[in-house]
Structures are given as structure tokens and as C-alpha cells.
């Protein structure tokens, strides 16, 4: 059996990628399954998805703990989650990054394929939705499922949901990623932490409607814990405040879903970059174009 674990951010299409590789495998006459695991159901929050492919019927139903292939759709996850935990020594990793494999520290030396899927997605689809580019790089990392079958599954699945043109553009993103992906080996400098194997069952939860403050499976939970969770690490775009344009309407302060805009006494603003997740809503509502979104996690 070949097991794949995807790590991405809400909005990058990890779930759709897992479903598409499974569909491509089924089209080749193989057995497959795909399913997601959501933490916080929010755009930008870390999510996982899993796929299994085999020549015979698959009866396993657990998450994938010992993957043959690891797929990381957002490079910043390498620094905040033990993404490579359990990856087989004979396995491979596919990473969305502009770096080459020998600069990717997975805490172990494995076959590593890197591709700048974000740039390919922005150029091809005009949106940072990297799943189809990643699928192309996966075909290069391991030809278990051919690029041709993957493109066919993309055209069918994305075409059905988003229209024929979108299907063709997404297949083009996969083709470009396949051509541009670099094959090498990761490095093993960092100490890899262990992943928590199981989330708590309902029997483990304390009585009442809310959890007591504390840590569960590595997650901070309980009242006020959002302050401790640095949602700013999710960011792929960063708001830049242009103070001289600001007309002090405070719309951005009112609308920010993460309370990451602080209102000064004079109704100008400060942005809390530890908690701004880069959604861009403040920039959209600003009537004076005083907030610009800049690509990247920092200014
Ligand atoms: S919405 Fe724009 S103009 Fe209004 S306070 Fe915010 S930055 Fe200033
Ligand atoms: S981009 Fe703007 S609205 Fe979105 S979290 Fe950051 S400060 Fe708040």
C-alpha cells in the first residue's frame, strides 16, 4: 500500500488534491481512498489530508502516520509542525518552496522534490491555490500514478466544479510544475518532534460545554487561548499600512476577523502581525487604499 499525507493551509486545496490523486489512481485500475482532517476550520489554518493507493481493496481507515509520501503545500508549516514525523526512510517529500531540496530541513535525509507551486499557481490561475501544481510535482516524485492520469482527473474534477476553462488551466499548472520540479535530497539538521497520534475522544473531555484551559494534543484550548495562538504564522500575504493615506474611518479595525488591528487614540491604526493571518479583508474595505497586501509572511 502507498500512503500519502498532505499538510496545507485552509484554502490551498489539500483536500481536493488528495481526492484528485485518488481519482487518478482509480482511473488507472487501482484501489484508493482520500479523506481530510481539519483542525480549526478557517482559511489559513493548518489542515491535513490523506490518500491511500493499493492494488487490492483497502480496509485501513486510520489517519496516515507512516507515509510513503509527504506533501507540504506551505513551506512555513515546516517550522511550526512536525510534518515529517513518521515519513519512511525510503519515502519522498514534495515541498512547495522556491528553495532547492538541499535547503529543505526535514530532520531526515530523504528523496525531496521542490517546486515553486505558489508562483506557478499565481501565473497560471491568478490565485495562490497550489493543489494542482503540487499534483504535477507529485507525479515527478513518484510515478505511481502517471502525470497523464493526474491531468485527466484534474480536468474532470475541476472542470466539473469550476468549468471547462478552469479545468484546462489547472491541468496546465500540473504540467508546468512537473517540468519545473527539482529532485534532490533533504537535509537533517532540525530535531523532529513527535506528532500527537490521536485527538482526545469525547470520553477524555471534561464535563461542561467548554474545555478547561490547557494543552490537548499539542493545541492550546480554553478561554482566552486564542491570544497564545500566533495565527500570524499562517500568513502568505501581509498588510502594509500607509499612514499618510489613512482617513481614520476605522472600518479596518471594526472588520478584522482576528482583532489584529489596534485602534490608536487618534483613530489611526497599528497591525498586530503576531495575529494577523493575512486575509486581506482590511485592505478590501479600506476606502482610502491605505492598506496594501504584499506577498509573503513579512513586510
Ligand atoms: S480602513 Fe483605511 S482609512 Fe479607514 S482607518 Fe483603516 S486604514 Fe485608515
Ligand atoms: S489582513 Fe487585515 S483583516 Fe485580515 S487578519 Fe490581517 S489585519 Fe486583520
Amino acid at each position: 500500500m502507498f500512503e500519502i499525507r498532505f499538510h496545507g493551509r485552509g484554502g490551498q486545496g489539500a483536500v481536493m488534491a488528495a481526492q484528485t490523486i485518488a481519482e487518478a489512481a482509480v482511473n488507472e485500475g487501482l484501489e484508493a481512498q482520500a479523506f481530510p482532517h481539519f483542525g480549526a476550520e478557517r482559511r489559513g489554518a493548518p489542515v491535513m489530508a490523506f490518500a491511500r493507493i493499493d492494488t487490492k481493496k483497502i480496509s485501513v481507515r486510520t489517519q496516515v502516520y507512516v507515509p510513503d509520501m509527504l506533501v507540504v503545500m506551505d513551506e512555513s508549516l515546516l517550522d511550526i509542525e512536525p510534518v515529517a514525523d513518521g515519513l519512511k526512510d525510503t519515502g519522498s517529500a514534495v515541498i512547495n518552496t522556491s528553495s532547492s531540496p538541499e535547503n529543505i530541513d526535514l530532520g531526515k535525509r530523504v528523496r525531496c522534490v521542490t517546486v515553486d507551486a505558489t508562483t506557478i499557481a499565481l501565473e497560471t490561475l491568478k490565485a495562490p491555490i497550489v493543489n494542482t501544481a503540487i499534483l504535477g510535482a507529485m507525479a515527478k516524485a513518484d510515478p505511481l500514478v502517471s502525470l497523464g492520469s493526474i491531468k485527466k482527473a484534474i480536468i474532470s474534477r475541476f472542470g466539473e466544479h469550476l468549468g471547462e476553462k478552469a479545468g484546462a488551466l489547472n491541468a496546465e499548472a500540473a504540467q508546468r510544475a512537473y517540468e519545473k520540479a527539482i529532485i534532490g535530497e533533504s537535509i537533517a539538521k532540525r530535531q523532529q518532534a513527535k506528532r500527537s497520534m490521536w485527538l482526545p475522544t469525547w470520553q477524555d473531555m471534561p464535563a461542561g460545554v467548554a474545555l478547561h484551559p490547557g494543552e490537548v494534543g499539542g493545541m492550546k484550548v480554553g478561554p482566552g487561548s486564542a491570544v497564545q495562538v500566533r495565527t500570524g504564522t499562517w500568513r502568505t500575504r501581509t498588510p502594509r499600512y500607509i499612514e499618510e493615506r489613512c482617513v481614520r474611518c476605522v472600518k479596518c479595525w471594526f472588520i478584522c476577523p482576528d482583532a489584529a488591528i489596534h485602534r490608536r487614540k487618534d483613530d489611526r491604526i497599528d497591525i498586530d502581525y503576531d495575529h494577523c493571518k493575512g486575509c486581506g479583508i482590511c485592505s478590501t474595505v479600506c476606502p482610502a487604499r491605505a492598506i496594501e497586501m504584499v506577498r509573503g509572511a513579512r513586510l
Side-chain angles (χ1 to χ4, degrees):
M1 186 177 345
F2 192 87
E3 297 184 291
I4 307 170
R5 189 170 72 211
F6 295 80
H7 293 264
R9 304 269 187 188
Q12 287 188 306
V15 179
M16 192 85 152
Q19 291 168 342
T20 307
I21 193 86
E23 182 175 325
V26 169
N27 288 345
E28 290 199 356
L30 298 163
E31 297 279 340
Q33 62 176 213
F35 55 100
H37 169 78
F38 296 108
E41 283 221 45
R42 302 173 76 177
R43 197 172 185 83
V47 297
M48 283 190 284
F50 311 97
R52 288 193 175 93
I53 299 170
D54 205 346
T55 49
K56 48 190 185 305
K57 194 168 167 43
I58 301 168
S59 52
V60 187
R61 291 289 184 272
T62 65
Q63 294 182 358
V64 172
Y65 295 115
V66 188
D68 297 276
M69 182 183 280
L70 170 75
V71 180
V72 182
M73 298 170 78
D74 177 12
E75 190 183 5
S76 71
L77 290 170
L78 295 173
D79 295 326
I80 64 166
E81 288 200 339
V83 292
D85 183 47
L87 175 62
K88 288 179 183 164
D89 293 341
T90 52
S92 54
V94 178
I95 317 286
N96 173 18
T97 174
S98 54
S99 299
S100 51
E102 53 276 14
N103 292 320
I104 300 299
D105 186 2
L106 291 174
K108 58 173 69 173
R109 289 169 72 91
V110 287
R111 179 179 161 84
C112 182
V113 173
T114 61
V115 65
D116 189 351
T118 304
T119 295
I120 291 172
L122 286 171
E123 287 175 0
T124 315
L125 312 171
K126 314 295 177 217
I129 302 172
V130 299
N131 51 4
T132 44
I134 279 287
L135 284 164
M138 286 170 69
K140 190 140 174 189
D142 195 304
L144 177 75
V145 181
S146 71
L147 178 65
S149 295
I150 288 175
K151 283 169 65 179
K152 229 166 127 185
I154 288 173
I155 288 168
S156 133
R157 186 164 277 268
F158 287 73
E160 189 183 312
H161 283 88
L162 306 168
E164 206 174 306
K165 189 173 171 211
L169 284 174
N170 276 283
E172 186 188 325
Q175 177 71 43
R176 286 186 62 192
Y178 181 87
E179 287 161 10
K180 292 195 169 218
I182 305 166
I183 300 175
E185 194 175 63
S186 61
I187 54 172
K189 282 192 188 160
R190 78 171 82 216
Q191 201 69 28
Q192 192 69 241
K194 293 295 285 176
R195 295 193 66 78
S196 165
M197 290 279 279
W198 303 104
L199 288 172
T201 63
W202 64 267
Q203 293 95 332
D204 299 327
M205 308 278 266
V209 292
L211 286 175
H212 297 305
E215 291 230 0
V216 176
M219 290 185 294
K220 290 184 169 61
V221 296
S225 57
V227 176
Q228 298 159 37
V229 180
R230 291 164 62 97
T231 44
T233 60
W234 301 353
R235 201 166 52 231
T236 54
R237 295 184 307 153
T238 300
R240 188 210 318 267
Y241 178 46
I242 305 160
E243 189 166 330
E244 56 275 20
R245 291 188 190 163
C246 177
V247 294
R248 298 190 262 176
C249 66
V250 299
K251 278 187 179 170
C252 56
W253 166 77
F254 184 74
I255 203 92
C256 173
D258 278 68
I261 292 190
H262 298 177
R263 182 178 178 176
R264 295 185 212 157
K265 283 198 172 121
D266 65 357
D267 284 339
R268 290 191 172 87
I269 61 151
D270 290 310
I271 299 174
D272 168 6
Y273 289 110
D274 282 344
H275 294 94
C276 161
K277 66 180 184 216
C279 67
I281 294 173
C282 54
S283 175
T284 304
V285 300
C286 176
R289 302 171 69 85
I291 301 179
E292 279 180 0
M293 297 306 292
V294 178
R295 188 175 159 190
R298 289 172 208 89
L299 290 177

